């Protein structure tokens, strides 16, 4: 439960565009000198670039340029110890979104507790952090509430469902706050960051595209802007109402099975793995629904994200969980080709496809799955 709630919390860093041609980071951390060393790690268009500088009487400087704002981490290594087991190395740091501007970092003896000034990007980040902090505090309170319960209460499904319902309500508030910020500040890079953080599994690609279209052209052409555009376009392919992409993968005996083989029936494509605890917990519910509606035309096609080395564990999980429907997988783990087509970034994840081959629902779990299938076949029987 704790992980479920915490998974919704995303750390937000913000930036805005700058006309400066390059960045300058001026640091002053007390009077530290050798062997203390500062490091700047930049995630530049998907690749990492590491720069370093020795502190002289506490001072260090980094200079360079980025084509658009980038994620970065500023770190300070306090000694020259080699990273070996059993040896604690004092390393502290802060995350940055680095634009072409001048930043001053001033601290007494640590970067982690240093004050960052002179950056419009950092200032905007703080504003958004302040806006979101009360909402994330609500999530933390739910985590604490759960942690403080006696073990018997933690096993109470009624309580757990209520807690998850309250968590989802807060998550909705956070989502709406980020989207509203993006709508109101289309020329600020934070809007792009905020929008990107909403693109979690199950997001509404059509609605997010409506927000993204109003983001400034300059931001759309940035590295992150292009990533967001690509993710929205990819996810639209799995949006409800679109035709499901066909795929073919081998079953446990090596026989190829195609999704299109199920045309004419309602089929739930279920992405899971033997090592996925939430998937295994959901399986009994899936078995129950399948047994109740398979005679009426409901099918399930399981797609595993297990690796080849874990094939035996996959097969054992199928037997242990009494999964009697067809199971397939290319045994490439997270690189599963069907999962890539369907933009599966977390499991369990599923897609319900109607007899014409269109996606009509996704991420159906627990009571929601049972209610959806019941509604479909109740209407068919009338």
């Amino acid at each position: 439960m704790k992980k479920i709630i915490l998974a919704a919390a995303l750390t937000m860093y913000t930036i805005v565009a700058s006309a400066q041609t390059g960045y300058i980071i001026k640091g002053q951390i007390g009077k530290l000198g050798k062997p203390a060393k500062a490091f700047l790690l930049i995630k530049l268009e998907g690749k990492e670039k590491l720069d370093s500088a020795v502190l002289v009487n506490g001072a260090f400087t980094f200079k360079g340029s980025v084509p658009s704002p980038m994620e970065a981490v500023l770190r300070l290594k306090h000694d020259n110890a080699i990273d070996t087991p059993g040896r604690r190395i004092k390393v502290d740091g802060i995350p940055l979104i680095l634009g072409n501007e001048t930043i001053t970092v001033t601290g007494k003896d640590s970067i982690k507790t240093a004050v960052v000034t002179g950056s419009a990007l950092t200032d905007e980040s703080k504003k958004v952090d302040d806006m979101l902090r009360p909402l994330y505090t609500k999530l933390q309170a739910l985590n604490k509430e759960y942690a403080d319960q006696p073990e018997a209460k933690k096993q109470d499904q009624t309580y757990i469902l209520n807690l998850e319902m309250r968590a989802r309500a807060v998550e909705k508030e956070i989502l709406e706050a980020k989207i509203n910020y993006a709508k109101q500040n289309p020329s600020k890079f934070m809007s792009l960051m905020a929008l990107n953080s909403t693109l979690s599994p199950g997001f509404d690609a059509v609605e997010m595209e409506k927000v993204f279209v109003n983001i400034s052209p300059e931001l759309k052409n940035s590295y992150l802007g292009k990533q967001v555009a690509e993710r929205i376009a990819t996810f639209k392919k799995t949006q409800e109402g679109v035709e499901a992409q066909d795929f073919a993968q081998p079953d446990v005996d090596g026989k190829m099975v195609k999704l299109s083989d199920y045309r004419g029936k309602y089929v739930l494509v279920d992405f899971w793995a033997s090592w996925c605890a939430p998937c295994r917990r959901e399986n009994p519910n899936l078995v129950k629904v399948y047994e109740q509606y398979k005679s009426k035309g409901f099918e399930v096609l399981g797609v595993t994200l297990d690796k080849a080395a874990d094939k035996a564990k996959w097969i054992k999980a199928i037997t242990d969980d009494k999964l009697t429907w067809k199971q397939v997988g290319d045994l490439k783990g997270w690189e599963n080709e069907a999962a890539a087509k369907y933009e599966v970034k977390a499991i369990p994840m599923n897609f319900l496809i109607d007899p014409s081959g269109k996606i009509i629902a996704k991420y159906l779990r627990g009571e929601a799955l049972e209610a959806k299938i019941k509604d479909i076949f109740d209407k068919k029987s009338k």
Side-chain angles (χ1 to χ4, degrees), residues 131-363:
M131 176 189 72
L132 294 173
R133 188 172 295 109
L135 299 178
Y136 286 122
T137 299
K138 289 184 181 180
L139 284 180
Q140 292 169 354
L142 291 178
N143 283 328
K144 186 177 186 304
E145 176 189 325
Y146 175 76
D148 291 343
Q149 299 302 317
E151 286 305 314
K153 187 73 170 179
K154 291 179 180 179
Q155 303 303 319
D156 184 338
Q157 291 303 306
T158 300
Y159 170 70
I160 294 298
L161 289 173
N162 176 265
L163 196 62
E164 289 183 341
M165 180 180 68
R166 286 185 282 155
R168 286 194 292 270
V170 178
E171 291 165 7
K172 183 179 179 181
E173 286 187 75
I174 293 172
L175 177 66
E176 291 174 349
K178 292 175 181 178
I179 292 175
N180 286 336
Y181 180 89
K183 288 179 177 179
Q184 295 166 11
N185 301 276
S187 63
K188 291 184 178 179
F189 202 83
M190 177 55 206
S191 293
L192 196 55
M193 293 291 291
L195 185 59
N196 183 54
S197 73
T198 68
L199 307 186
S200 56
F203 78 92
D204 190 329
V206 173
E207 289 304 311
M208 292 302 101
E209 187 175 49
K210 292 177 182 177
V211 180
F212 181 72
V213 74
N214 291 316
I215 295 293
S216 71
E218 181 182 5
L219 295 181
K220 285 180 183 176
N221 288 324
S222 68
Y223 177 69
L224 180 59
K226 292 175 181 178
Q227 282 189 313
V228 170
E230 182 179 357
R231 182 154 168 73
I232 290 174
T234 299
F235 212 81
K236 276 183 68 178
K237 296 177 182 178
T238 63
Q239 196 80 8
E240 293 176 21
V242 304
E243 185 171 349
Q245 301 173 81
D246 198 13
F247 62 85
Q249 296 205 351
D251 63 13
V252 294
D253 298 317
K255 180 182 178 181
M256 296 302 293
V257 177
K258 295 188 296 184
L259 174 59
S260 54
D261 294 339
Y262 291 83
R263 190 63 64 92
K265 294 184 177 182
Y266 286 92
V267 57
L268 186 77
V269 180
D270 180 46
F271 291 92
W272 73 294
S274 65
W275 46 261
C276 170
C279 303
R280 304 294 296 275
R281 289 196 296 267
E282 178 64 17
N283 278 342
N285 181 62
L286 191 48
V287 168
K288 173 188 172 184
V289 175
Y290 178 67
E291 290 299 322
Q292 187 173 355
Y293 292 98
K294 66 179 181 179
S295 63
K296 298 181 180 181
F298 174 58
E299 289 289 347
V300 179
L301 176 61
V303 182
T304 185
L305 268 63
D306 281 289
K307 293 182 178 180
D310 296 322
K311 183 176 181 179
K313 293 179 182 179
W314 171 43
I315 295 175
K316 184 177 186 299
I318 293 171
T319 301
D320 291 348
D321 293 0
K322 298 179 175 60
L323 310 183
T324 57
W325 51 86
K326 185 67 71 175
Q327 297 286 342
V328 301
D330 57 18
L331 300 181
K332 296 179 181 178
W334 282 107
E335 302 302 317
N336 181 285
E337 293 179 10
K341 277 188 174 184
Y342 282 77
E343 193 71 5
V344 174
K345 301 297 182 183
I347 52 176
M349 184 64 190
N350 57 43
F351 299 84
L352 181 61
I353 300 168
D354 72 7
S356 70
K358 289 185 178 180
I359 298 172
I360 58 173
K362 54 187 178 181
Y363 199 56

Side-chain angles (χ1 to χ4, degrees), residues 14-25 40 42 44-45 49 62-72 96-104 117-122 189 218 222:
T14 26
I15 44 181
V16 291
S18 172
Q20 187 171 315
T21 57
Y23 64 80
I24 302 174
I25 300 176
L40 179 64
I42 303 174
L44 185 61
E45 299 188 349
K49 175 186 175 183
F62 290 105
K63 293 183 179 181
S65 64
V66 288
S68 61
M70 298 288 169
E71 292 181 74
L96 298 173
I97 299 296
L98 186 63
N100 291 320
E101 56 183 359
T102 299
I103 303 173
T104 300
T117 59
S119 170
L121 313 181
T122 301
F189 202 83
E218 181 182 5
S222 68

Side-chain angles (χ1 to χ4, degrees), residues 13-118:
Y13 307 121
T14 26
I15 44 181
V16 291
S18 172
Q20 187 171 315
T21 57
Y23 64 80
I24 302 174
I25 300 176
K26 297 180 179 179
Q28 183 69 51
I29 307 299
K31 299 297 181 180
L32 293 179
K34 291 182 178 181
K37 198 172 186 179
F39 297 88
L40 179 64
L41 178 65
I42 303 174
K43 295 181 179 178
L44 185 61
E45 299 188 349
K47 298 180 181 180
E48 292 188 346
K49 175 186 175 183
L50 182 64
D51 198 359
S52 63
V54 174
L55 273 68
V56 178
N57 204 24
F60 64 89
T61 301
F62 290 105
K63 293 183 179 181
S65 64
V66 288
S68 61
M70 298 288 169
E71 292 181 74
V73 178
L74 183 62
R75 291 177 178 167
L76 178 62
K77 188 168 180 287
H78 290 249
D79 59 35
N80 59 3
I82 299 174
D83 189 2
T84 56
R87 173 63 190 266
R88 288 180 175 272
I89 301 175
K90 188 177 181 181
V91 178
D92 69 310
I94 53 173
L96 298 173
I97 299 296
L98 186 63
N100 291 320
E101 56 183 359
T102 299
I103 303 173
T104 300
V105 181
T106 307
K108 182 179 179 181
D109 56 12
S110 168
I111 284 183
K112 188 175 182 180
T113 58
V115 175
V116 179
T117 59

